[in-house]
Amino acid sequence: MSYDRLIAYLEESDHLQSAVRLLQWDQETGMPSGGQEARAEVLSTLAGLSHQRATSPHLRELLEFAESEAKTPDRIRQLELVRRDLDRASKVPASLVERLAKATSTAQQVWSKARQERDFQRFRPHLEEVVALKREEGALLAPSGGSAYDGLLSDYEPLMRTADWSILFGELERELPNLAREIHERQGRVRERLARLEALRGPFPRERQLHLCRGLAESLGYDFSRGRLDLSPHPFSETIHRGDSRITTRIDESDLVSSVFATLHETGHALYEQGLPEDLSGTPLGGFCSMSVHESQSRLWENLVGRSDAFWHDRWSRVREDLPVLSEVRVEDWTARSRLVRPSLIRTESDEVTYNLHVLVRFRLEQALVDGNLAVSELPSAWNEAYRKMLDTVPSHDGEGVLQDVHWSAGMFGYFPTYTLGNLLSAQFFRAAADQGATGNLPALLTWLRQKVHARGHMLETPELAFQATGRKPSASDFLAHLRERYLG
Amino acid sequence: MSYDRLIAYLEESDHLQSAVRLLQWDQETGMPSGGQEARAEVLSTLAGLSHQRATSPHLRELLEFAESEAKTPDRIRQLELVRRDLDRASKVPASLVERLAKATSTAQQVWSKARQERDFQRFRPHLEEVVALKREEGALLAPSGGSAYDGLLSDYEPLMRTADWSILFGELERELPNLAREIHERQGRVRERLARLEALRGPFPRERQLHLCRGLAESLGYDFSRGRLDLSPHPFSETIHRGDSRITTRIDESDLVSSVFATLHETGHALYEQGLPEDLSGTPLGGFCSMSVHESQSRLWENLVGRSDAFWHDRWSRVREDLPVLSEVRVEDWTARSRLVRPSLIRTESDEVTYNLHVLVRFRLEQALVDGNLAVSELPSAWNEAYRKMLDTVPSHDGEGVLQDVHWSAGMFGYFPTYTLGNLLSAQFFRAAADQGATGNLPALLTWLRQKVHARGHMLETPELAFQATGRKPSASDFLAHLRERYLG
């Protein structure tokens, strides 16, 4: 009974969050520009109300009553998750939360202009303030004996510490730079052939691309009666509430790769959301496991499935019918195009081989910033040096260098590593599914993921979930094997 | 200072309402069907939070502090409006609010099915319950010496009682039935000619109609940087928050009139919203004056402007370029089509002459229901008899008769009359603008309305606003004069 009252309270809190998510989705997809200022005010009020509910004495009371009752394993886990959120909220005093909210709000605005103007100096004092505050927060959240950066990492992966991450990244650092160089060399002739293929530069009319993207999402198993596809400058997926998990993509009329792989990526996220246990929706246990696992789902469909020959073989004739400009392009050219590996400056546009080098750079730098081993003033040169070493390329200005990501300005230290863990897990899940004979067709693969990952909600943490689904703890080995097989096999 | 604190509280309450409005807009325009159940839960939670805020002791305290301070006329009016809302909320006990919410929620669902199945008996017990509860509520809200129906009317027009409405409707009852018959007779030949004009039945492609509707809204002065146009089954306008006032229309590929006049109507509503005083937005004083005045704005642009020859004269050649199927249709045919008057059964599809007869029927019947002079069981036959007498036509089943409107199932007794007052005021405002030389072009007309109506927010009640803008209290005379001039002149 008191458990049910707690759940009702949590569901109501999630209803408020549903409104926030719709307000944000709308802001990115179609809100008239004149509504910006008022929209920010509305979002700020709702964030305040949500925060009040998440930290209220009433919630603590409900939780304590529920904890004192007899319990099933599901309920024990549910209460553990609620307790963790509440304890986290109690560890960080309201004054720090407020200072952080204010500092990151300003820093994001300044960052946006600084990036445009390629002017790191303008951003520097704001980043310094954010780093100082996050260091303070990290120290409060740190597990016993852990560093401030451990504290920040624990927000995203509570079972993993800096040392665990360092092992993963260490393996990648040993393998990836050489692997990328070797592949880049091997692809020399393909690159030249593709460069001569005018048809790969379109034009691909907007409506046709949208039609193609809808079909692709549907063929992966995305349920349009519980979702929709729209356009936005930065593709994203957003679940408003159960029965409504949306995706967006972007259209570049001269580059079909852009919309297609953004769609596959966001569809992967949304398939996870559509597969979460509906009867637990709106509660922590009914939510996704972690950002890492979320990213593993998007990357699995985008890279493991979407950049494979098998995926395109049967559907290429239909794509060419819809986009006659491609009539002379062979399916081999298209898949080769989707698998080009090259040194790049921008993380979000990089290939699946070099992507994690971009993340590695950020992991090392943010750790050094939070630990106090790197001053913000030294960050741009440290960034450029790391890119030279890891990616054989150096930004010509900070706009395509240290200023390219929004994360740090938003106070998201400890978040980048989850991208890499997601990439590693995508290969690990796919390998396990293949070993269990579940990769022969898309519905079989989705069924496997539904069962092993989606339907479990937040019953387990990432390493446990990976272990139960694949028989192994998260590691880089399946990912590296996948790259070698695909690119050097 | 305490005034500012009150305003901040009210603005925050409005932020919650912004979320509700976006959730509703989204539900009508594009939400995936699978989200329905969860969306209803989200809306219900937010309605509860809003209600808590609107009736909280904290609000009362803030208001009392503010009332005790020195004041300007604006502030006095602001506090008067807040006080009125709060007193209204205090007059109706929470238990009645809850019973009403529950009864109307069920009644609306049953009504929707009963209408489809043309089965009034199924709806009857639910309507009986709603009428009984509204009678109870009306008695609590009634001004001293007034009836329960007076109480319900006061929710929409606090300065007008049943007797005032009866005078307006009495005049319409004396004039309109005969006027409608006379016009219908006169239009016999036009009707025949138009019936032979195949081109008026399209097809009018969806995208072309949307393009035309966008252009029309823009030409009226609608600011698309602070709004957007979408499609929905039932056209509506909705302001999310300042800087974001949206409209929708519907498309029938065989009938251009449908989308065009729905667009002009909703644009009229949105122009009012876009013209409200921005610095007061989110407070009662910054809101619209009344539903009646809102309807006067939509009807003014739809009927007074949109069904005139002058409006179409200059733009017809462009319409024909966009819709080549109309190439043989003269502008006179189109405007004649937009002004056809005929007996009809469905209020929302009726012409500007007979429209108020539909409302008159509802006014008389709902008054009798609430006063206890008509039993719900007798309603269908009373409805059919009234239609025979007023509109020379009788529904062949209750689906196109007494079950056509959602209002009563939703507990909206006292709302229908505001449609008619809006119609009367549309002509009264237009007449005054013409007398002051402001109807020569659309921008001049909008400027006049901005100044005399929109910018005033809720400073005045409807009769006072009409008097200050036109020099006369609301009456039927300008409206009847307009009909005679347009249709018999």
Side-chain angles (χ1 to χ4, degrees):
Chain A
M1 187 55 202
S2 58
Y3 180 83
D4 294 339
R5 282 176 58 213
L6 172 68
I7 296 299
Y9 183 92
L10 296 169
E11 284 172 345
E12 281 190 17
S13 298
D14 191 60
H15 293 159
L16 258 182
Q17 283 301 312
S18 287
V20 169
R21 293 186 290 256
L22 182 65
L23 286 156
Q24 285 169 335
W25 172 86
D26 180 75
Q27 188 171 23
E28 300 301 321
T29 55
M31 182 187 74
S33 59
Q36 254 159 10
E37 195 182 80
R39 182 62 53 95
E41 290 165 18
V42 170
L43 282 167
S44 162
T45 294
L46 267 65
L49 291 174
S50 278
H51 184 75
Q52 271 175 33
R53 287 186 65 92
T55 55
S56 87
H58 183 55
L59 171 59
R60 184 176 300 278
E61 209 179 274
L62 287 172
L63 176 59
E64 278 162 11
F65 271 119
E67 284 172 338
S68 68
E69 277 183 356
K71 302 148 208 162
T72 61
D74 276 22
R75 290 188 173 199
I76 291 172
R77 173 65 176 164
Q78 181 79 275
L79 298 180
E80 185 182 303
L81 291 169
V82 181
R83 166 63 64 189
R84 185 203 291 172
D85 288 346
L86 192 60
D87 284 352
R88 187 207 180 286
S90 326
K91 277 184 193 158
V92 185
S95 63
L96 180 55
V97 172
E98 269 166 45
R99 278 186 297 154
L100 258 168
K102 217 169 153 187
T104 53
S105 165
T106 311
Q108 279 175 270
Q109 285 166 37
V110 175
W111 163 78
S112 173
K113 279 184 195 131
R115 182 174 68 153
Q116 270 168 32
E117 294 166 12
R118 309 171 177 184
D119 179 5
F120 182 79
Q121 285 313 312
R122 185 170 176 173
F123 180 48
R124 191 180 53 78
H126 299 277
L127 183 57
E128 279 167 351
E129 190 187 352
V130 173
V131 169
L133 292 169
K134 291 301 287 188
R135 195 181 289 145
E136 205 175 313
E137 188 189 39
L140 293 168
L141 296 174
S144 96
S147 69
Y149 189 55
D150 281 327
L152 298 178
L153 285 167
S154 73
D155 240 9
Y156 301 101
E157 287 296 341
L159 301 190
M160 291 174 68
R161 299 221 192 165
T162 309
D164 303 305
W165 289 104
S166 293
I167 291 169
L168 290 179
F169 279 111
E171 197 173 350
L172 295 176
E173 190 179 9
R174 277 192 302 280
E175 302 284 338
L176 285 182
N178 293 330
L179 195 58
R181 277 175 210 123
E182 191 177 345
I183 296 168
H184 187 253
E185 218 159 282
R186 276 216 191 188
Q187 288 186 335
R189 288 174 60 186
V190 176
R191 219 162 29 241
E192 278 167 35
R193 193 180 80 233
L194 294 176
R196 287 191 302 271
L197 253 182
E198 285 283 339
L200 281 175
R201 290 190 286 279
F204 308 105
R206 188 186 134 104
E207 284 306 317
R208 294 291 174 88
Q209 287 200 52
L210 258 176
H211 177 75
L212 171 63
C213 290
R214 289 219 165 80
L216 288 171
E218 210 153 27
S219 75
L220 263 47
Y222 180 67
D223 178 359
F224 272 96
S225 81
R226 298 189 294 145
R228 48 180 287 162
L229 171 67
D230 294 87
L231 294 178
S232 67
H234 302 283
F236 66 97
S237 72
E238 183 74 277
T239 288
I240 312 301
H241 44 58
R242 82 178 183 281
D244 190 351
S245 293
R246 306 178 178 192
I247 55 178
T248 73
T249 189
R250 68 177 149 221
I251 303 279
D252 176 346
E253 296 209 326
S254 68
D255 181 14
L256 189 59
V257 165
S258 173
S259 67
V260 162
F261 288 92
T263 301
L264 295 177
H265 183 95
E266 302 307 335
T267 301
H269 281 303
L271 286 174
Y272 186 11
E273 294 280 328
Q274 290 192 333
L276 290 170
E278 279 227 333
D279 53 327
L280 293 169
S281 87
T283 74
L285 185 56
F288 58 87
C289 168
S290 65
M291 297 308 301
S292 312
V293 173
H294 230 307
E295 191 72 4
S296 78
Q297 300 305 293
S298 57
R299 287 304 210 174
L300 188 151
W301 294 99
E302 177 197 354
N303 290 338
L304 280 295
V305 175
R307 295 183 206 272
S308 71
D309 292 330
F311 182 71
W312 291 102
H313 193 271
D314 293 338
R315 42 172 61 78
W316 189 243
S317 59
R318 245 177 308 137
V319 174
R320 285 200 299 202
E321 272 167 37
D322 275 4
L323 294 160
V325 70
L326 293 171
S327 57
E328 303 296 311
V329 176
R330 298 170 308 156
V331 66
E332 295 79 17
D333 297 326
W334 167 251
T335 51
R337 166 71 186 81
S338 80
R339 294 197 294 256
L340 279 187
V341 174
R342 43 198 159 182
S344 62
L345 289 164
I346 306 294
R347 174 182 58 85
T348 56
E349 293 166 12
S350 65
D351 56 82
E352 63 176 324
V353 178
T354 58
Y355 183 89
N356 295 293
L357 293 171
H358 291 264
V359 179
L360 171 54
V361 169
R362 289 152 179 80
F363 168 68
R364 291 275 160 77
L365 294 176
E366 70 177 23
Q367 185 187 347
L369 284 171
V370 174
D371 286 350
N373 296 326
L374 178 70
V376 171
S377 59
E378 299 161 343
L379 182 58
S381 57
W383 178 285
N384 293 350
E385 173 56 20
Y387 262 74
R388 196 194 51 72
K389 191 177 148 206
M390 297 281 180
L391 285 133
D392 294 333
T393 176
V394 177
S396 57
H397 56 80
D398 290 338
E400 58 182 23
V402 68
L403 289 172
Q404 71 182 269
D405 298 305
V406 70
H407 302 61
W408 289 339
S409 71
M412 294 160 78
F413 288 81
Y415 183 100
F416 279 120
T418 71
Y419 288 134
T420 284
L421 183 51
N423 279 292
L424 306 187
L425 288 174
S426 71
Q428 191 165 333
F429 286 133
F430 193 80
R431 177 75 262 159
D435 289 345
Q436 292 166 42
T439 50
N441 58 63
L442 301 183
L445 178 58
L446 181 57
T447 301
W448 190 92
L449 291 168
R450 288 269 191 260
Q451 209 178 344
K452 302 285 184 179
V453 181
H454 305 180
R456 317 226 49 187
H458 201 168
M459 195 64 201
L460 305 167
E461 293 305 323
T462 309
E464 306 160 336
L465 180 75
F467 187 82
Q468 291 204 8
T470 71
R472 276 159 299 135
K473 298 233 150 169
S475 90
S477 57
D478 289 331
F479 177 70
L480 291 168
H482 153 70
L483 294 185
R484 283 195 204 95
E485 188 188 323
R486 173 172 283 180
Y487 292 93
L488 303 176
Chain B
M1 188 55 204
S2 58
Y3 180 83
D4 294 339
R5 282 177 56 213
L6 172 68
I7 295 299
Y9 183 92
L10 295 170
E11 284 171 346
E12 281 191 16
S13 299
D14 191 60
H15 292 160
L16 258 182
Q17 283 302 310
S18 286
V20 168
R21 292 185 292 256
L22 182 65
L23 286 157
Q24 286 170 335
W25 171 86
D26 180 75
Q27 188 171 24
E28 301 300 320
T29 54
M31 182 186 75
S33 59
Q36 255 161 8
E37 197 182 78
R39 183 61 54 95
E41 290 166 18
V42 171
L43 282 167
S44 162
T45 294
L46 267 66
L49 291 174
S50 278
H51 184 75
Q52 270 174 32
R53 287 185 66 91
T55 55
S56 87
H58 183 55
L59 170 59
R60 185 177 299 279
E61 210 177 275
L62 287 172
L63 176 59
E64 278 161 12
F65 271 118
E67 284 172 338
S68 68
E69 277 181 355
K71 303 149 207 160
T72 61
D74 276 22
R75 292 188 172 199
I76 291 172
R77 174 63 175 165
Q78 182 78 276
L79 298 180
E80 185 181 302
L81 291 169
V82 181
R83 166 63 63 189
R84 188 205 287 171
D85 288 345
L86 191 60
D87 284 351
R88 188 207 178 287
S90 325
K91 277 184 193 161
V92 184
S95 63
L96 179 54
V97 172
E98 270 167 43
R99 278 187 295 155
L100 257 168
K102 214 168 154 186
T104 53
S105 166
T106 311
Q108 278 175 270
Q109 285 169 36
V110 174
W111 163 78
S112 174
K113 280 186 195 132
R115 183 175 67 155
Q116 269 169 31
E117 294 165 13
R118 308 171 178 183
D119 179 5
F120 183 78
Q121 284 314 313
R122 185 169 175 174
F123 179 47
R124 191 180 52 78
H126 299 278
L127 183 57
E128 278 167 351
E129 191 187 352
V130 173
V131 168
L133 292 169
K134 291 301 287 187
R135 194 181 289 144
E136 206 175 312
E137 186 189 42
L140 293 168
L141 297 174
S144 95
S147 68
Y149 190 57
D150 281 327
L152 298 178
L153 285 168
S154 73
D155 241 8
Y156 301 100
E157 287 296 341
L159 300 189
M160 291 175 68
R161 299 226 193 160
T162 309
D164 303 305
W165 288 105
S166 293
I167 291 169
L168 289 179
F169 278 111
E171 198 173 346
L172 294 175
E173 188 178 11
R174 277 191 303 280
E175 302 285 337
L176 285 183
N178 292 330
L179 195 58
R181 276 176 210 122
E182 192 177 344
I183 296 169
H184 187 252
E185 216 159 282
R186 276 219 190 185
Q187 288 185 336
R189 288 174 61 186
V190 177
R191 219 162 30 241
E192 279 167 34
R193 193 181 81 233
L194 294 177
R196 286 191 304 269
L197 253 181
E198 286 282 341
L200 281 175
R201 290 190 285 280
F204 308 106
R206 189 187 134 105
E207 284 305 316
R208 295 292 174 89
Q209 285 200 54
L210 259 176
H211 177 76
L212 171 62
C213 289
R214 288 218 166 79
L216 288 171
E218 209 152 28
S219 74
L220 263 48
Y222 179 68
D223 177 359
F224 272 96
S225 82
R226 298 189 294 144
R228 48 179 287 161
L229 171 67
D230 294 86
L231 294 178
S232 67
H234 301 284
F236 66 97
S237 70
E238 183 75 275
T239 288
I240 312 301
H241 44 58
R242 83 179 183 280
D244 191 352
S245 293
R246 306 179 177 192
I247 55 177
T248 73
T249 190
R250 72 179 145 217
I251 303 280
D252 176 346
E253 297 210 325
S254 68
D255 181 14
L256 189 60
V257 165
S258 173
S259 66
V260 162
F261 289 91
T263 302
L264 295 176
H265 183 95
E266 302 307 335
T267 300
H269 281 303
L271 286 174
Y272 185 12
E273 294 280 327
Q274 290 192 332
L276 290 170
E278 279 226 334
D279 53 327
L280 293 169
S281 88
T283 73
L285 185 56
F288 58 87
C289 170
S290 65
M291 297 308 300
S292 312
V293 172
H294 230 307
E295 190 73 5
S296 78
Q297 300 306 293
S298 57
R299 287 304 211 173
L300 187 151
W301 294 99
E302 177 196 354
N303 290 337
L304 280 294
V305 174
R307 296 183 206 271
S308 71
D309 293 329
F311 182 72
W312 291 102
H313 194 270
D314 292 338
R315 46 173 56 79
W316 189 244
S317 57
R318 245 177 309 138
V319 174
R320 284 200 297 203
E321 273 167 37
D322 275 4
L323 295 159
V325 69
L326 292 172
S327 58
E328 303 297 310
V329 175
R330 298 170 308 156
V331 65
E332 296 79 17
D333 297 326
W334 166 252
T335 52
R337 166 71 186 82
S338 81
R339 293 196 296 254
L340 279 186
V341 173
R342 43 200 159 180
S344 62
L345 289 165
I346 306 296
R347 175 182 59 84
T348 56
E349 294 167 10
S350 65
D351 56 82
E352 63 175 325
V353 178
T354 59
Y355 183 89
N356 295 292
L357 293 171
H358 292 265
V359 179
L360 171 53
V361 169
R362 288 152 179 80
F363 169 67
R364 291 276 159 75
L365 294 176
E366 69 177 24
Q367 184 187 348
L369 285 171
V370 174
D371 286 350
N373 296 325
L374 178 69
V376 170
S377 60
E378 299 162 343
L379 183 58
S381 57
W383 179 284
N384 293 351
E385 174 56 20
Y387 262 75
R388 195 194 53 70
K389 192 176 147 206
M390 296 282 181
L391 284 133
D392 295 332
T393 177
V394 177
S396 58
H397 56 79
D398 290 337
E400 59 181 22
V402 68
L403 289 172
Q404 71 183 267
D405 298 305
V406 70
H407 302 61
W408 288 339
S409 71
M412 295 162 78
F413 288 81
Y415 183 100
F416 279 120
T418 70
Y419 287 134
T420 284
L421 182 53
N423 280 292
L424 305 186
L425 287 174
S426 71
Q428 191 165 332
F429 285 134
F430 193 80
R431 177 75 262 159
D435 289 345
Q436 291 166 43
T439 50
N441 58 64
L442 300 183
L445 178 58
L446 181 56
T447 301
W448 191 90
L449 291 168
R450 287 270 192 258
Q451 208 178 344
K452 301 286 184 179
V453 181
H454 306 180
R456 317 228 47 190
H458 201 167
M459 195 63 202
L460 306 167
E461 293 303 323
T462 308
E464 305 159 337
L465 180 75
F467 187 81
Q468 291 203 9
T470 71
R472 278 159 297 136
K473 296 235 149 165
S475 91
S477 56
D478 288 333
F479 177 71
L480 291 168
H482 153 69
L483 295 184
R484 283 194 205 95
E485 190 188 321
R486 174 171 282 179
Y487 291 94
L488 303 175

